Amino acid sequence: MKLLKFKWQQIILCLGCLLLIIACQSSRPSTNPGAKLLKVATDPTFVPFEIQKADGKLEGFDIDLMNAIAASAGFTVQFEKLPFDGMISTLQAGKVDAAISGITITPERLKTISFSRPYFKAGLAIAVRENNQDIQNLNSLKGRKIAVQIGSTGADFAKTIPNAKISTFNSGPEFFQDLLNGNVDAVIGDAFATLYAINNGQLKGIKVVADLLTEEYYGIATSKSSPHMDAINNAIATVLSNGTYKQIYQKWFKAEPPQLPDSPPLGKVKQLNAATVFYHS
Ligand code: ARG
């Protein structure tokens, strides 16, 4: 009898241990056991930074970079699709741990969220219909109809153009469609994204007016109180120095990456002139 009781105790103890092991296993992400799960928001309507393929999978420069950062920092990434305009409030509310979405580091945004060191040198450009001859530069945009993405730096820039009539859209494909339909005269948006779409035949009938309007830098955003920013910044430094960044840049842009500053040169939106155009064809 005593022996039987002892066996029962042993069985219960073993079952308990088994349950504990199963519980521990299932609470861990399967891809990288032991890694911290990082929920990362992205708006996959922005070629070639974040795009959703027909099968639902995400791809793009930002997606590759975030995965490389995660591998270096020991995170497992779970991407969450979110409209660009809602990203900052979602970060603030702590519903995601970070966001990567071609987000420009601006003094205004830095008041409410944190940014990593710059990971991409970008800028705004004017796009018009291919047959348009009269919009050549910023001056010719006065009083024109302009389409922009809601909540973007392009939208902020458009507000500074005298008498411009601004239409706002949720995503890139929509505002370019409006331009093609003839509802607006121009789009102000991120130069790299527009040029990529034109060069890859995804945007037909549209051209970019040569001057860049601004110099901007993209950063990975987190809430102000994020415990992950140091790890993210260290991982960016690692992928920049070990050749991974260069590989990803070349994969998407077929060009050498430019030098990146350690911190963004902030200040009023920097106006550039034709001489500083940086498109690599
Ligand atoms: N760089 C611009 C900004 O920060 C636009 C980024 C749009 N990104 C996107 N995934 N839709 O305002």
Side-chain angles (χ1 to χ4, degrees):
M1 195 59 199
K2 207 171 173 191
L3 195 72
L4 205 66
K5 197 173 156 201
F6 179 64
K7 271 195 177 157
W8 268 114
Q9 276 175 343
Q10 264 190 331
I11 290 169
I12 288 169
L13 198 71
C14 283
L15 276 176
C17 286
L18 209 67
L19 279 176
L20 202 70
I21 290 169
I22 291 170
C24 285
Q25 291 290 334
S26 60
S27 68
R28 282 177 182 177
S30 51
T31 40
N32 185 0
K36 159 92 183 75
L37 186 72
L38 202 71
K39 278 197 211 164
V40 181
T42 192
D43 165 30
T45 64
F46 193 58
V47 286
F49 294 91
E50 37 271 329
I51 321 136
Q52 183 163 18
K53 295 202 292 181
D55 62 5
K57 290 213 184 81
L58 298 179
E59 63 169 24
F61 178 89
D62 283 355
I63 306 297
D64 285 350
L65 184 69
M66 195 65 227
N67 283 329
I69 288 169
S72 160
F75 293 128
T76 290
V77 177
Q78 183 183 310
F79 286 105
E80 308 254 334
K81 286 169 252 165
L82 269 186
F84 186 73
D85 193 36
M87 226 153 261
I88 292 181
S89 56
T90 310
L91 278 170
Q92 281 181 293
K95 290 188 189 134
V96 290
D97 299 305
I100 190 162
S101 219
I103 310 175
T104 303
I105 308 171
T106 68
E108 198 50 38
R109 290 172 179 166
L110 279 167
K111 288 182 190 157
T112 48
I113 52 172
S114 292
F115 278 100
S116 68
R117 56 182 288 170
Y119 74 81
F120 195 87
K121 185 174 181 186
L124 295 173
I126 303 166
V128 295
R129 282 180 299 281
E130 221 159 40
N131 57 6
N132 181 306
Q133 299 300 332
D134 49 308
I135 298 180
Q136 312 274 3
N137 51 37
L138 185 56
N139 274 336
S140 40
L141 281 183
K142 287 179 191 152
R144 299 292 186 135
K145 288 187 245 162
I146 301 168
V148 294
Q149 174 158 29
I150 302 175
S152 68
T153 46
D156 292 340
F157 193 92
K159 286 180 203 151
T160 66
I161 299 170
N163 303 322
K165 291 165 210 64
I166 304 166
S167 316
T168 54
F169 293 87
N170 257 322
S171 70
E174 290 174 66
F175 56 66
F176 285 121
Q177 198 49 54
D178 215 49
L179 178 62
L180 284 171
N181 292 348
N183 295 337
V184 292
D185 306 309
V187 159
I188 296 185
D190 292 51
F192 265 92
T194 309
L195 283 170
Y196 185 92
I198 292 173
N199 292 339
N200 288 277
Q202 289 157 327
L203 260 187
K204 294 206 169 71
I206 286 177
K207 67 178 177 190
V208 161
V209 177
D211 294 22
L212 278 185
L213 301 173
T214 58
E215 181 178 294
E216 303 187 355
Y217 290 90
Y218 298 160
I220 296 173
T222 68
S223 71
K224 282 261 184 214
S225 56
S226 169
H228 308 303
M229 196 47 105
D230 284 349
I232 292 173
N233 274 329
N234 290 338
I236 296 178
T238 306
V239 299
L240 280 172
S241 62
N242 72 8
T244 309
Y245 179 88
K246 187 173 164 166
Q247 233 170 31
I248 299 173
Y249 197 98
Q250 284 173 334
K251 172 181 166 188
W252 290 100
F253 298 105
K254 315 260 177 300
E256 286 292 301
Q259 233 6 72
L260 288 172
D262 294 345
S263 56
L266 292 173
K268 197 87 184 109
V269 190
K270 200 166 163 185
Q271 299 264 337
L272 301 174
N273 50 39
T276 43
V277 170
F278 63 95
Y279 313 143
H280 351 251
S281 57

